Amino acid sequence: MPPRIPRPSRRALLPLTQASRSSPSPAIHALAAATAARCLSTTSSSKYALAAAARIAGLQPSPDYVPPTKPPSARPSETRKSQLIRTYTSLLRSAPLVLFFQHNNLTAIEWAAIRRELRIALQAVPTPASLADQPNIAEDIHLSVFRTRMFNVALKLVSFFDAEAAAKSNAATPSSPSRGPYVHDLSTAAYEAMKALEVPPDSAFAQLEPLMIGPLAGLVFPAVSPAHLAAALRVLAPGAPGTPFAPLPRKKNPGYYSAECQNGLAKLLLVGGRVEGGVFDVDGVRWVGGIEGGLDGLRSQLVGLLQSAGLGLTHTLEAGGKSLWLALEGRKTALEEEQGGGKKEEAA
């Protein structure tokens, strides 16, 4: 229980509070605060008494005051659903690679076993030489369970809501605050924009929306790394033996073949992925994970393709010139031989 205001201080503040109730004069308010601070400066409960004196003196913020850390929103910002929307929008904007899984009644022990084997497999991936000076992303790859409805709303916000355009369109409204309109993810502008939105059928959201049905989980990558993606697929969605995504060997990974892990994996189903804003099906996800040499290998393949295209164009252009030159040289030689043969006949 907090300490109470000492008796002398209460006696000094009593007439001031009665006067402040009848006449809200700023001078009386200031005098009440100063008296409370002077009377209680030497007591151990000065902080509590000063706060009480501030309330008595009417020094509370204005009802129109909006704290910068809690702007007005169309959804109650303190509810769990609002916090989930903010979390998912931040995740979608920062994570370039997300794999989506449908899960069915996995227990906590099964989730723990799957995450354990996934962490072991990711930590065993060697770091490329080009990324040796950067931190290992294996520690930041995590498997999370999504609230499907909230994730759907967050994906729609990230895909279609343009905060800059909304700020420009709402800047001239009289209700806009002096520091600009509110266009954050929970704002009224975002809510109204999503409410009146017609989703284009060829958009990435329209392709992902059929996948977001029922229980949904996601494997989130902080960067696009084909090597780590291949290791994760070998654990969560293994392919046939002999393929790059073959299951882990039993001798080196006995925990992977435990009953808890295998029962949990039987309830997980890979349905697609989102890579750099694009939508990939299961085959597309495996193609990304099967890129040899990772992104460095893909860059080298692209450079080789561009060089081969340039060399082919050069050879094509040179071949036309060479054939024309050879034709002209052959005709010249033939004419010289004909002229030489005619001169010999005349001389004879």
Side-chain angles (χ1 to χ4, degrees):
M1 180 177 180
R4 298 181 178 180
I5 301 178
R7 189 182 298 271
S9 302
R10 288 192 296 175
R11 291 176 181 175
L13 292 174
L14 183 59
L16 296 176
T17 56
Q18 295 176 353
S20 62
R21 291 172 184 171
S22 60
S23 176
S25 174
I28 294 178
H29 292 177
L31 180 61
T35 304
R38 184 170 60 254
C39 294
L40 304 176
S41 59
T42 58
T43 62
S44 60
S45 59
S46 59
K47 293 183 180 180
Y48 172 77
L50 285 175
R55 289 196 298 270
I56 293 173
L59 299 180
Q60 294 181 349
S62 171
D64 299 332
Y65 172 73
V66 178
T69 58
K70 189 179 179 182
S73 62
R75 307 172 186 269
S77 58
E78 62 274 2
T79 60
R80 183 171 182 266
K81 291 183 178 179
S82 299
Q83 296 301 324
L84 284 175
I85 291 176
R86 297 179 62 184
T87 301
Y88 292 155
T89 53
S90 176
L91 182 146
L92 289 170
R93 291 190 178 102
S94 60
L97 174 57
V98 181
L99 299 185
F100 299 107
F101 296 85
Q102 289 184 352
H103 62 92
N104 183 18
N105 296 331
L106 272 79
T107 64
I109 298 177
E110 292 170 351
W111 278 119
I114 291 174
R115 289 190 174 101
R116 179 194 66 226
E117 299 303 320
L118 179 63
R119 182 174 61 254
I120 294 173
L122 292 174
Q123 290 177 349
V125 176
T127 304
S130 59
L131 302 178
D133 56 340
Q134 299 181 7
N136 190 4
I137 67 172
E139 299 295 334
D140 298 324
I141 300 174
H142 57 275
L143 181 64
S144 303
V145 177
F146 295 152
R147 289 288 298 272
T148 309
R149 176 57 183 165
M150 298 299 103
F151 190 83
N152 191 325
V153 174
L155 182 60
K156 187 180 296 184
L157 282 169
V158 173
S159 302
F160 301 108
F161 181 60
D162 189 354
E164 296 182 358
K168 292 179 181 178
S169 61
N170 296 331
T173 57
S175 60
S176 299
S178 58
R179 56 176 172 268
Y182 298 109
V183 292
H184 53 87
D185 293 335
L186 302 179
S187 63
T188 304
Y191 178 79
E192 295 296 337
M194 296 300 101
K195 188 177 180 181
L197 176 68
E198 294 184 2
V199 178
D202 57 344
S203 61
F205 175 82
Q207 301 176 34
L208 279 176
E209 189 176 16
L211 306 180
M212 292 183 291
I213 298 176
L216 188 68
L219 183 63
V220 183
F221 291 76
V224 179
S225 175
H228 290 86
L229 176 58
L233 290 177
R234 293 187 67 186
V235 175
L236 301 177
T243 63
F245 307 101
L248 300 176
R250 184 183 294 270
K251 291 184 178 180
K252 295 183 179 179
N253 303 273
Y256 178 73
Y257 291 92
S258 62
E260 295 82 4
C261 185
Q262 289 299 314
N263 290 337
L265 292 174
K267 302 175 186 179
L268 273 181
L269 176 64
L270 177 64
V271 293
R274 181 176 182 266
V275 184
E276 296 290 351
V279 180
F280 287 73
D281 57 2
V282 177
D283 294 335
V285 170
R286 293 185 185 277
W287 174 81
V288 175
I291 297 176
E292 297 182 0
L295 292 181
D296 294 338
L298 186 61
R299 293 189 186 99
S300 61
Q301 292 178 13
L302 179 60
V303 171
L305 180 63
L306 294 176
Q307 288 179 350
S308 62
L311 291 175
L313 179 61
T314 303
H315 289 321
T316 302
L317 296 176
E318 290 180 352
K322 287 182 179 179
S323 60
L324 178 60
W325 180 79
L326 291 175
L328 293 176
E329 286 293 325
R331 183 58 180 169
K332 179 182 177 182
T333 305
L335 291 175
E336 289 179 351
E337 291 179 354
E338 289 179 358
Q339 292 178 359
K343 290 180 179 179
K344 289 181 179 179
E345 291 178 358
E346 291 179 356

